[in-house]
Amino acid sequence: MNDEVLYSKTAIESCLSEMEASSKKLKDQIETLMQDTKSSQGFFNTPEASEAYNKKSGDVSKDLTDLDGILQMLRREISDGQVNMNEMDKKMAQQFME
């Protein structure tokens, strides 16, 4: 059995950058959704229809916000793992210098 752990620092950095970009895109989509919801209020014939639209819009916004929270949590975990791997690399390199 091989005990080697291989990883690509470049791939990890790329992954973290993509996750950050996705998070920003989600936040932009939430903001756009909320603006569109506010501007669409005059299109409804009844208060009930407007309330139903607001509720659905709020549900979608909450789902996107929850998804962004998960994405940010994963990003932190990957970033922490990267820091730990870098520290381990430094410790291993120091052992060769002794």
Side-chain angles (χ1 to χ4, degrees), residues 10-23 75:
T10 303
I12 293 170
E13 284 294 326
S14 177
C15 178
L16 292 171
S17 294
E18 286 292 321
M19 292 175 95
E20 188 62 32
S22 293
S23 177
R75 186 180 181 286

Side-chain angles (χ1 to χ4, degrees), residues 34-89:
M34 299 315 291
Q35 289 173 359
D36 289 349
T37 299
K38 287 179 185 176
S39 66
S40 298
Q41 292 303 308
F43 296 120
F44 298 102
N45 296 329
T46 66
E48 294 82 12
S50 179
E51 288 174 27
Y53 181 79
N54 282 335
K55 181 180 179 335
K56 291 292 183 188
S57 176
D59 291 347
V60 171
S61 177
K62 181 187 178 312
D63 290 345
L64 290 173
T65 301
D66 291 348
L67 182 60
D68 183 53
I70 293 168
L71 184 61
Q72 288 300 318
M73 179 195 65
L74 291 172
R75 186 180 181 286
R76 281 189 303 273
E77 292 292 326
I78 291 170
S79 181
D80 290 348
Q82 179 188 33
V83 168
N84 292 338
M85 287 186 291
N86 287 340
E87 288 174 5
M88 182 60 77
D89 286 348

